[in-house]
Amino acid sequence: MTAGPQPGASQPVFASTVSKGDIPKEYKLQRFYTAADVAKHNSSHDCWVSYFGSVYDLTPLLAEYTGPLAQPIIEAAGSDISFWFDEATKQPKTHVDPVTGMEEIYCPWGRYVHVPPQGPESGWSTSFGTPWWEDRRYYIGSRSAQTRKVSIVNLLTKQKNTLEVPIEETVEEIRERYLLHNAHAGSYTWKRLGKPMNMEKTLEQNGMKDETEEFMRLGIDPEDHTPVIHLYFNDDLTEA
């Protein structure tokens, strides 16, 4: 049984005014994403960011807004922008402008979408409703608190792949990631030290303790001791 997405997470919804050709291909939502997962989505047509442990797909936002206010978000695409916001209020940070002496939103990379101008501006409107940083429509899942590496060895083909995975993911969710390397991953029994793994539990819960920190403390390269999962072919290619 595959774990579903995080509560409240949803596929991005684009405005009816956005051309179909500008809408990216739909993807499968995950409960957790690594920093590397987010980093792959680093353009105006495919823009993910994270802040305070959550991941957001801002592609629909950028499809509606063009011009200079979109640029800081485009430049931040694929990264964590928690430093833009106050941790206590989850609102954009503010500072006192040294010239005007007025408190305003702190924009280290320049003013961005939904941030009001310093002074009166004819084109400024608050009709957008909820600012994007409060809008849960863009929420697609959680950012992993920590990742670890695991090697997967296909005993039939002898192929070996090493994946960086969230510590929170179940083995079933890791198998979903592995489909990129083997579309028939569901036709294999996943074992650790000859024992079938519980696919609904995490690696740690399956007895695969993450010893990265301990190896580093001892001056041992953890890359030389990545735990291994062995795949045993079931002679059934129906699960593709």
Side-chain angles (χ1 to χ4, degrees):
M1 180 177 178
T2 304
Q6 294 285 13
S10 62
Q11 288 283 347
V13 177
F14 290 78
S16 58
T17 54
V18 178
S19 169
K20 288 186 177 180
D22 292 330
I23 299 177
K25 183 179 178 181
E26 188 172 296
Y27 52 86
K28 186 171 183 178
L29 294 174
Q30 299 171 199
R31 285 195 308 144
F32 293 95
Y33 300 93
T34 67
D37 291 333
V38 176
K40 296 173 184 175
H41 304 271
N42 56 7
S43 73
S44 61
H45 297 289
D46 183 14
C47 175
W48 290 16
V49 296
S50 64
Y51 47 97
F52 300 129
S54 295
V55 178
Y56 299 85
D57 185 345
L58 299 184
T59 312
L61 177 74
L62 295 179
E64 295 182 57
Y65 289 87
T66 57
L69 295 187
Q71 198 56 41
I73 297 175
I74 295 172
E75 292 178 2
S79 69
D80 185 83
I81 56 173
S82 298
F83 67 97
W84 286 17
F85 305 97
D86 182 279
E87 188 171 2
T89 65
K90 303 298 187 288
Q91 293 297 311
K93 289 180 178 178
T94 60
H95 74 134
V96 175
D97 185 274
V99 178
T100 65
M102 302 284 288
E103 185 179 54
E104 61 180 32
I105 291 178
Y106 177 59
C107 302
W109 293 0
R111 181 179 159 220
Y112 50 84
V113 176
H114 295 168
V115 171
Q118 288 182 315
E121 191 174 286
S122 60
W124 171 249
S125 171
T126 58
S127 61
F128 56 79
T130 305
W132 62 263
W133 54 86
E134 294 180 12
D135 199 332
R136 298 295 284 182
R137 289 184 304 159
Y138 303 119
Y139 173 67
I140 59 172
S142 297
R143 174 169 164 157
S144 175
Q146 185 178 333
T147 62
R148 62 180 298 183
K149 289 187 177 181
V150 60
S151 292
I152 301 172
V153 176
N154 184 329
L155 294 181
L156 178 66
T157 65
K158 309 304 179 184
Q159 179 182 5
K160 178 179 179 180
N161 299 96
T162 298
L163 309 182
E164 180 187 19
V165 301
I167 61 171
E168 304 94 339
E169 282 192 337
T170 64
V171 179
E172 178 60 39
E173 289 171 308
I174 293 172
R175 180 164 67 176
E176 286 290 318
R177 289 178 176 272
Y178 179 68
L179 286 173
L180 180 66
H181 305 282
N182 184 347
H184 297 285
S187 295
Y188 291 77
T189 297
W190 289 47
K191 295 184 179 182
R192 168 66 174 168
L193 301 177
K195 180 181 177 182
M197 303 184 74
N198 186 325
M199 304 300 284
E200 295 183 18
K201 291 186 177 182
T202 65
L203 296 179
E204 185 94 12
Q205 292 169 336
N206 272 282
M208 297 178 68
K209 182 180 178 182
D210 184 7
E211 299 179 304
T212 301
E213 292 185 3
E214 180 65 12
F215 284 136
M216 294 181 69
R217 187 183 69 81
L218 296 173
I220 300 173
D221 186 352
E223 298 282 344
D224 295 333
H225 298 274
T226 302
V228 177
I229 295 173
H230 291 104
L231 305 191
Y232 290 77
F233 185 52
N234 296 332
D235 197 23
D236 178 9
L237 290 178
T238 57
E239 298 187 54

